[in-house]
Amino acid sequence: MSSILVVDDEPDNFDVIETLLSAQNYQLHYAASGQSAIASLDTFEPDLILLDVMMPGMDGIEVCQRIKAMPQWESVPIIVVTALTTKKDLAQCLTAGADDFISKPVNSLELTARVRSMLRIRQQYQQLATFNARLEATVQQRTAELQTMIFEDGLTALPSRTFLVQKLAELLQSGESSFAVVCLDCDQFKLVNGSFGHAIGDQLLIAIAERLRQHLRPGDVLARMGEDEFCFLLHQIEDAVALEPFIQTILRSFNAPFSLVNCEIFMTACMGISLSNDAAGQSEELLQDADTAMYQAKLRGKGSYQIFDRQMHLAMFNRLMLENDLQRSLEQQEFVLYYQPIVHLQTQKLAGFEALLRWQHPERGMVSPGEFIPCMETTGLIVPVGMLVFKQACQQLRSWQQQGWTEITMSVNLSVRQFACPTLLADIDRVLSETAINPGYLKLEITESAIMDNAEMAIALTKELRSRQIQISIDDFGTGYCSLGYLHHFPVDTLKIDRSFVNQIQAENRNYQVVNTIIALSNQLELAVIAEGIETTQQLEWLQQLGCQFGQGYLFSKPLPAAEIESIYLTKSSEM
Ligand code: C2E
Ligand code: MG
Ligand code: MG
């Protein structure tokens, strides 16, 4: 029901209006003066005011002005009821803010019509205001939701990359000078998605986020940056030394498996770190530096970390150049094989060769594998190049067998990456049938890490290789983490004692003991032993004393191109 306030110093006038409007369903209120009218607004909450002009004290013009100046009442329509009907009087009322006027004496028809039309306008205005308020609330809510979407990661409920970048920018602007950006990237997360499915992958990410969150100090930020990448923003970290305990805590936190709904998964992660005092001043730059450091950490292997320093930019650049260069050299066929003789240590007669890769660079000359194999490992280029090596070594072996060297073996190195390549067996079979060699004279050299990375698969794969008569050697033995006790589970034929032991062998010293143990163990397991890197006759003598069967090293020969091998050894082959 609409509420109407009638303001008039004559109570009789109110009675007249009340009578005239009695047929309508209005609630009428009365105020006998301007002051009491203003004072009663909050009580009556009028939808319309009928206002007399000529009143003692505050006149209608002033009342009108005052009400229209109050924000909460300004929209209530005011109809001036007046006997003053000159144009000037009316203009004064309208200027004061009145919405309409009725002349006295009041006529019933005019009063009801004007009241009705003003109330209708009032009602429409109120509907519009409610609608506006609702719209504004919805917009505010949607804006808040969007902000959350932008600033929060949907899966883990951690802050998003956008949030972190903004925080970082604020921090830099505030002039704070000692903080650290620690990016964390899970190792081989794709394997989890690939083998367990994305639902498990998501669960794992939530679990990782939860675990990382526990190491957050008040005020620090932990954000999810992308698929399996997280980032800490840590305050008040002066230098690398101050950061060390945090890093160790995070690395340790990955020691325990992550318990998911139906399984437990072990995961490791690498960290790339940039410190604010090394930064050039942009939040994106700090993140990029941490990324660069991450790349270096990843090169070192699972669970590694690296703090960014300026030199890394150069290293990155060189690395990229090398990658491009290697790609080109594969197309240009710049890779060649050298062969290093392996001899029987007791008789020093030739037992076989190890094929070693060389890169004949158009400007740099002969580049040795230490410089480019790690890069080929990370880019995956080692897989096609490794297959070229294998094929060429097989062809060479066949050629030498045809020239009468029927008893020599050919050893070929196989990288971790090749070993894990699903097409390895098929590729080997293809080359074996193309070259038609007797696989019994082939040896594949793998490192301990190739085995330990995925022992079950390694055992299955080596069994397959051995069923083709191919022999397996463990290269650089003693430098990895293959336990001696583990070896008997593993179908291998030969251990190659790493050069570093042979190098420093002295009577009864530690290396002597290590070599002695490896040889004794090999005898027990009926494995052949090859000592690598023999350079002096003294070393040869020690090894002979210890009963080492085979050896390889500069003392006998450096790795040489096939033609040189032929001219030196093939003529002597009758002696073998
Ligand atoms: P490796 O398989 O342990 O090969 C033996 C390395 O020791 C060779 O280095 C050889 O030249 C070197 N060497 C042999 N005798 C001596 C010695 O008396 N003194 C010294 N100081 N060094 C000696 P190289 O050819 O530079 O190869 C380095 C490594 O690169 C190899 O170690 C192997 O792990 C890898 N590699 C070489 N060719 C290939 C390949 O075709 N495929 C793969 N995956 N890796 C390869
Ligand atoms: Mg080798
Ligand atoms: Mg070796």
Side-chain angles (χ1 to χ4, degrees):
M1 198 195 298
S2 297
S3 154
I4 300 175
L5 175 63
V6 180
V7 188
D8 203 308
D9 55 323
E10 286 290 334
D12 290 349
N13 287 343
F14 172 72
D15 293 340
V16 171
I17 290 176
E18 191 174 35
T19 315
L20 293 177
L21 291 178
S22 59
Q24 319 296 327
N25 195 19
Y26 301 137
Q27 198 171 9
L28 290 184
H29 304 284
Y30 175 61
S33 70
Q35 283 92 338
S36 68
I38 290 170
S40 68
L41 288 173
D42 284 335
T43 318
F44 299 141
E45 298 189 331
D47 296 302
L48 173 66
I49 298 169
L50 295 176
L51 180 62
D52 182 25
V53 177
M54 300 272 280
M55 291 187 290
M58 196 187 291
D59 70 1
I61 302 291
E62 195 183 339
V63 175
C64 191
Q65 277 168 342
R66 289 208 184 185
I67 292 178
K68 289 292 175 184
M70 293 192 274
Q72 69 272 44
W73 304 116
E74 127 209 271
S75 66
V76 177
I78 296 178
I79 300 178
V80 170
V81 185
T82 177
L84 311 167
T85 51
T86 66
K87 275 194 179 152
K88 196 175 152 225
D89 295 331
L90 294 177
Q92 207 185 1
C93 292
L94 292 175
T95 316
D99 296 274
D100 204 349
F101 63 88
I102 302 175
S103 47
K104 280 184 178 172
V106 178
N107 163 292
S108 163
L109 215 61
E110 187 184 8
L111 179 71
T112 39
R114 297 215 172 190
V115 164
R116 196 185 305 133
S117 100
M118 270 304 145
L119 281 174
R120 194 179 300 131
I121 291 171
R122 166 73 179 158
Q123 201 178 23
Q124 280 167 355
Y125 173 87
Q126 275 176 325
Q127 278 169 356
L128 204 66
T130 324
F131 178 75
N132 260 342
R134 241 184 257 150
L135 196 68
E136 204 164 307
T138 314
V139 167
Q140 264 175 13
Q141 192 193 340
R142 289 297 295 152
T143 312
E145 281 169 11
L146 278 174
Q147 291 248 335
T148 319
M149 264 166 69
I150 293 169
F151 288 129
E152 192 181 291
D153 168 51
L155 182 68
T156 61
L158 287 179
S160 67
R161 184 193 171 90
T162 313
F163 180 86
L164 186 115
V165 170
Q166 189 171 312
K167 269 274 166 279
L168 204 52
E170 284 170 20
L171 211 59
L172 284 166
Q173 235 164 23
S174 77
E176 183 170 335
S177 60
S178 50
F179 56 91
V181 174
V182 180
C183 285
L184 182 146
D185 191 283
C186 300
D187 296 320
Q188 297 181 312
F189 192 85
K190 283 198 173 63
L191 286 182
V192 176
N193 275 341
S195 34
F196 297 98
H198 282 265
I200 296 285
D202 284 356
Q203 271 188 43
L204 180 57
L205 285 170
I206 294 170
I208 292 173
E210 202 36 62
R211 195 170 290 177
L212 291 178
R213 212 197 308 256
Q214 286 165 13
H215 302 289
L216 214 50
R217 303 170 311 173
D220 289 347
V221 178
L222 168 64
R224 178 167 175 230
M225 303 297 272
E227 199 191 347
D228 60 342
E229 204 187 330
F230 298 86
C231 185
F232 287 96
L233 180 56
L234 307 175
H235 294 262
Q236 278 153 9
I237 299 289
E238 290 294 337
D239 51 20
V241 178
L243 189 61
E244 188 65 25
F246 178 81
I247 304 223
Q248 292 308 328
T249 308
I250 297 296
L251 285 177
R252 261 200 313 277
S253 75
F254 279 86
N255 286 346
F258 293 90
S259 304
L260 310 182
V261 176
N262 287 320
C263 57
E264 283 196 334
I265 294 183
F266 279 98
M267 187 35 74
T268 58
C270 282
M271 282 182 273
I273 299 147
S274 59
L275 295 166
S276 58
N277 43 9
D278 283 335
Q282 292 270 313
S283 58
E284 285 295 345
E285 258 170 76
L286 265 167
L287 283 173
Q288 210 178 342
D289 290 351
D291 249 13
T292 305
M294 172 73 78
Y295 184 83
Q296 298 292 327
K298 290 272 175 187
L299 287 181
R300 286 223 229 104
K302 295 178 180 177
S304 307
Y305 73 93
Q306 175 69 53
I307 297 177
F308 176 81
D309 73 61
R310 296 265 136 236
Q311 311 240 297
M312 270 176 205
H313 277 311
L314 187 66
M316 272 298 259
F317 177 76
N318 288 340
R319 177 88 190 191
L320 278 176
M321 293 293 286
L322 182 62
E323 274 179 35
N324 282 340
D325 222 10
L326 281 171
Q327 191 68 48
R328 179 195 51 78
S329 62
L330 180 59
E331 286 149 23
Q332 307 283 316
Q333 303 185 337
E334 289 168 11
F335 293 113
V336 288
L337 279 190
Y338 276 34
Y339 301 89
Q340 186 176 35
I342 296 171
V343 301
H344 293 275
L345 285 189
Q346 304 302 333
T347 61
Q348 292 182 45
K349 282 192 174 168
L350 188 64
F353 295 98
E354 177 175 4
L356 291 159
L357 188 58
R358 295 289 177 270
W359 179 13
Q360 204 147 27
H361 195 280
E363 287 134 36
R364 297 168 60 193
M366 204 59 85
V367 187
S368 63
E371 283 191 51
F372 61 87
I373 287 202
C375 178
M376 291 210 292
E377 280 269 350
T378 39
T379 55
L381 203 63
I382 192 70
V383 174
V385 172
M387 230 38 236
L388 280 180
V389 169
F390 182 70
K391 186 170 178 182
Q392 204 177 323
C394 287
Q395 283 168 340
Q396 190 61 65
L397 178 63
R398 192 176 64 159
S399 157
W400 283 340
Q401 281 174 343
Q402 284 170 346
Q403 293 176 60
W405 254 345
T406 47
E407 295 300 312
I408 56 157
T409 57
M410 178 67 82
S411 300
V412 179
N413 292 285
L414 214 58
S415 80
V416 178
R417 186 79 175 245
Q418 280 176 280
F419 202 63
C421 173
T423 61
L424 179 70
L425 275 178
D427 291 340
I428 287 179
D429 285 340
R430 202 187 56 244
V431 173
L432 287 181
S433 77
E434 275 169 19
T435 54
I437 54 156
N438 178 351
Y441 291 98
L442 263 185
K443 286 190 172 191
L444 290 180
E445 297 191 359
I446 55 179
T447 56
E448 292 162 85
S449 50
I451 302 169
M452 300 305 280
D453 270 2
N454 186 345
E456 245 166 69
M457 189 205 72
I459 291 174
L461 196 55
T462 40
K463 277 188 180 151
E464 282 288 333
L465 291 169
R466 296 229 309 182
S467 76
R468 288 160 173 77
Q469 260 72 56
I470 299 174
Q471 298 178 49
I472 308 291
S473 302
I474 299 191
D475 206 351
D476 308 338
F477 189 77
T479 56
Y481 47 107
C482 190
S483 74
L484 292 174
Y486 195 75
L487 268 183
H488 71 275
H489 294 295
F490 200 78
V492 298
D493 305 276
T494 309
L495 293 187
K496 296 189 77 173
I497 304 175
D498 190 66
R499 200 166 74 214
S500 56
F501 298 108
V502 176
N503 232 321
Q504 292 163 32
I505 196 166
Q506 293 290 333
E508 305 294 329
N509 75 348
R510 190 172 169 275
N511 281 326
Y512 186 94
Q513 297 304 343
V514 172
V515 174
N516 191 10
T517 310
I518 295 177
I519 292 171
L521 177 93
S522 306
N523 288 340
Q524 228 173 24
L525 296 173
E526 295 177 348
L527 301 178
V529 184
I530 304 179
E532 293 183 307
I534 306 173
E535 292 183 356
T536 66
T537 44
Q538 176 70 79
Q539 288 164 356
L540 173 63
E541 277 167 28
W542 294 127
L543 289 161
Q544 282 171 330
Q545 270 178 27
L546 287 170
C548 182
Q549 283 168 287
F550 300 99
Q552 174 182 357
Y554 295 169
L555 178 66
F556 312 108
S557 170
K558 288 197 166 187
L560 297 170
E564 275 183 62
I565 292 284
E566 286 175 10
S567 71
I568 299 172
Y569 291 90
L570 206 51
T571 48
K572 295 196 278 181
S573 68
S574 50
E575 296 168 22
M576 291 188 351

